[in-house]
Amino acid sequence: MRKSYRVKKEAEFQKVFEHHDSVANRLFVIYQMPKADQKHFRVGISVGKKIGNAVHRNWVKRRIRQSLLELKPYLKQDVDFLVIARPRADGLSMKEIKSNLVHALKLANLIESDYDEVI
């Protein structure tokens, strides 16, 4: 994803955390903060050290990023959100990660209603 679609700075992460609007499933926690003056969504991805070494963490991040790239046309555009991976996300297939991410995004109402679950 391009830089304009990412939440990178610590202060930006903290603003979204402090908003306290979150949902979770077994693999992901989603924090969100609406931003009405924004042209497109921005996402931050966090994968903790409980998942494993750097290779495993980057593996999970790449799959989350790719899933979000495929879901990009269906995501709400006026929001900043964070995707935090839980330890169970390590070692799952791309299909499992994407389906769980879609589930968490639906719980957070971040996927538009015209998304049909073709995975």
Side-chain angles (χ1 to χ4, degrees), residues 15-71:
K15 278 184 186 178
V16 179
F17 275 128
E18 290 168 2
H19 194 265
H20 293 318
D21 192 8
S22 67
V23 296
N25 65 7
R26 292 181 304 143
L27 297 184
F28 301 106
V29 180
I30 308 277
Y31 287 88
Q32 63 178 321
M33 182 177 74
K35 293 187 90 173
D37 59 339
Q38 200 163 262
K39 288 189 256 183
H40 54 76
F41 70 88
R42 294 188 321 151
V43 63
I45 299 172
S46 177
V47 179
K49 288 188 176 182
K50 287 185 179 181
I51 287 193
N53 62 15
V55 173
H56 291 272
R57 293 193 302 270
N58 287 328
W59 186 89
V60 172
K61 279 192 255 184
R62 280 195 305 269
R63 276 146 183 80
I64 293 170
R65 223 177 280 121
Q66 181 61 36
S67 296
L68 289 171
L69 193 62
E70 293 171 9
L71 295 169

